[in-house]
Amino acid sequence: MTDNKVLEMDNVSFKYEKETVVKDVSLTIEAGQFFGLVGPNGSGKSTLIKLMLGLLKPTKGSIKLFGSPVRSFKHWEEIGFVSQKANSFNSGFPATVLEVVKTGLISKTGLFRFYNKNDREKAMQALKTVEMEDYFNHNIGELSGGQQQRVFIARALVSDPKFLILDEPTVGVDAKHVADFYQLLHKLNRNEGITLLMVSHDIGTITEHASHVVCMNKTIHFHGESHEYKAFSNEDLSQLYGHPVQQLTHNHGEVDPRD
Amino acid sequence: MIESFFTYEFLQNAALAGLMIGFVAPLLGVFIVVRRLSLIADALSHITLTGIAASLLLEKRVTAINEWNPVYMGMVFSVTGAILIEKLRKVYKHYEELAIPIILSGGIGVGVILISLADGFNTDLFSYLFGSVTAVSRADMSTVLVITLLVLAVVLLFYKELFVLSFDEDHAAVSGVNGKLIHLLFIVMVALVIASAMQIVGILLVSALMTLPVAAALRISKSFKQTIGLSIFFGELSVIVGLITSYQLSVPPGGTIVVTAILILIGAIAYRKVSGQLSLKGETI
Ligand SMILES: Nc1ncnc2c1ncn2[C@@H]1O[C@H](COP(=O)(O)OP(=O)(O)OP(=O)(O)O)[C@@H](O)[C@H]1O
Ligand SMILES: [Mg+2]
């Protein structure tokens, strides 16, 4: 049964022009898992995500979403996506926050139909989960970067996706809202069984929250459960990153005696 | 003025066609402007001229097609131009805007040769270039009506898709929107509107009716729907004021419509300045 396989990548390679940036990647994600994807800058994380969403065509290998090849995948309402460059849109774009969040419902709304009252309610609800409901009427370009990012998170959540793909979703988001966001991810993952894949550079935090970790640099260097990854030494990491890396350690509530 | 409106059929035709163009040109213009494609309207209007010229030449050489309306040939050229631009944009992936000067200069170059061969540098041509209140026939008016209905249908049916494509193409793609198809449909609509607007505003000024009202609306509105509403309002206002002054002063409507649109734009910029200052004062009190 492919039933509980949300994503299957088999031996996928990709090059933009000449240089291969993703090489022989095989990755399977099952329903209910929470994957953290880490790796240095330029290691191909965003490219891998674009491949799994069908935004780029692999030069080799096959990719399936919910059991069907990405090329012919139809149920886009089951996928929520926050891209790394979410706020690279034309900042003079004349749209309100609410109008932007409603676009998250497009695959659910069907051709030739308008968004209705119910859709508006859903969009407001999604804005509440990221605490942006007070801004529903604001122009999207007039918000701060972090606020825009939270709006894009709301847009990804509004269609109640089964699989959420997040490429550094919390860049520019303040500490309080990052913490809230992880809380939300936990809730979505544990209570509602939503499958998650999240790219992050905050290795400490992501390994703490995710059930599985994939560490890549063109190819996959580590793939397994988070607790195994935590045992992965800083030296191994440094070798992979090409420079010294310290896993960020989070001492919850404990005060550093040196302070 | 009102009396002559009811007396002369050509005035009714011009007024009705003008009102329809004043509606659909800014409507499509909103999507063009937010996608930063403003120059596409210029390229397409110039290639429409090539079509007009080709039609004039054929008319001259082949008497059998005397009855042809040059507007139709204009439409064929403008739609072909639209498709060519899309193709060229793919060839020059990193210099997408190059497609525009290629089509624009190519259109004018071929157009000038064809017009010369047809000995076409006369008043007819003048009315294609700058518009005319007397040149719109009943048949032209019906063509404009059909195109208006077509554009309204496309925009209403694909409003969500057009909006999401303009805002965020990647997001549109992962929402299952067929961007290529909808974009092509859209650009063909633009080509049709440009060709049909030509008789009122003239080829050289049609792009102004697609962009100036939107530029004014952008200064004032917050939401996308409001931008569309205001753009159409400003477009209609430009056409109405422009046509009346054109008739009264006996100057081409293209000129008066565009000057009206520019005055509205200046008004919108001033309004934004003043209201910005007022709200600043309001905050300090
Ligand atoms: N559009 C593009 N055209 C050509 N090369 C590209 C393009 N986008 C990315 N690359 C190259 O592909 C490689 C991988 O880029 P990618 O964006 O996937 O990295 P990443 O792991 O997401 O990095 P970061 O942590 O900085 O987000 C880089 O070497 C980059 O230069
Ligand atoms: Mg990236």
Side-chain angles (χ1 to χ4, degrees), chain A residues 45-46 84 167-168:
Chain A
K45 303 181 299 294
S46 300
Q84 183 173 13
D167 194 351
E168 297 188 43

Side-chain angles (χ1 to χ4, degrees), chain A residues 19-142:
Chain A
E19 203 190 340
T20 302
V21 295
V22 170
K23 194 164 177 287
D24 302 326
V25 168
S26 296
L27 178 64
T28 302
I29 298 181
E30 290 180 9
Q33 293 180 328
F34 180 169
F35 263 78
L37 177 57
V38 300
N41 290 136
S43 57
K45 303 181 299 294
S46 300
T47 306
L48 192 74
I49 281 177
K50 284 183 188 153
L51 284 164
M52 58 181 80
L53 288 167
L55 294 171
L56 297 171
K57 262 189 219 157
T59 34
K60 207 184 86 198
S62 78
I63 303 164
K64 284 183 182 169
L65 283 171
F66 293 99
S68 64
V70 224
R71 288 281 131 200
S72 53
F73 184 71
K74 287 279 174 323
H75 299 283
W76 290 105
E77 72 281 359
E78 303 195 330
I79 309 252
F81 172 48
V82 179
S83 83
Q84 183 173 13
K85 288 193 285 182
N87 43 19
S88 71
F89 66 96
N90 164 8
S91 63
F93 198 97
T96 60
V97 165
L98 190 63
E99 281 178 313
V100 170
V101 175
K102 279 200 277 187
T103 64
L105 287 164
I106 193 163
S107 45
K108 265 201 164 164
T109 312
L111 221 51
F112 308 154
R113 272 198 48 222
F114 285 104
Y115 303 115
N116 57 29
K117 256 223 164 96
N118 198 7
D119 296 331
R120 187 197 148 93
E121 278 306 305
K122 273 194 194 147
M124 286 303 291
Q125 202 56 47
L127 281 170
K128 263 193 203 119
T129 48
V130 294
E131 291 183 20
M132 284 295 292
E133 73 273 20
D134 293 343
Y135 293 86
F136 78 97
N137 215 3
H138 284 231
N139 185 299
I140 182 77
E142 288 169 4

Side-chain angles (χ1 to χ4, degrees), chain A residues 76 90 94 99 110 113 155, chain B residues 36 160 168 174-175 224-225:
Chain A
W76 290 105
N90 164 8
E99 281 178 313
R113 272 198 48 222
R155 178 180 68 175
Chain B
R36 303 183 194 277
K160 296 191 307 292
D168 182 344
V174 301
S175 306
F224 198 70
K225 289 218 172 95

Side-chain angles (χ1 to χ4, degrees), chain B residues 44-98:
Chain B
L44 292 181
S45 60
H46 286 75
I47 195 142
T48 306
L49 180 68
T50 322
I52 303 284
S55 188
L56 291 177
L57 183 62
L58 279 177
E59 210 172 283
K60 194 122 199 188
R61 297 287 151 91
V62 192
T63 36
I65 54 167
N66 222 342
E67 292 302 304
W68 270 23
N69 191 333
V71 176
Y72 297 136
M73 191 69 103
M75 278 179 191
V76 171
F77 272 66
S78 131
V79 169
T80 315
I83 294 167
L84 271 179
I85 288 180
E86 285 309 296
K87 291 258 177 285
L88 278 172
R89 270 153 57 93
K90 286 192 196 98
V91 175
Y92 290 102
K93 255 190 202 148
H94 299 286
Y95 301 96
E96 286 189 4
E97 72 281 4
L98 254 186

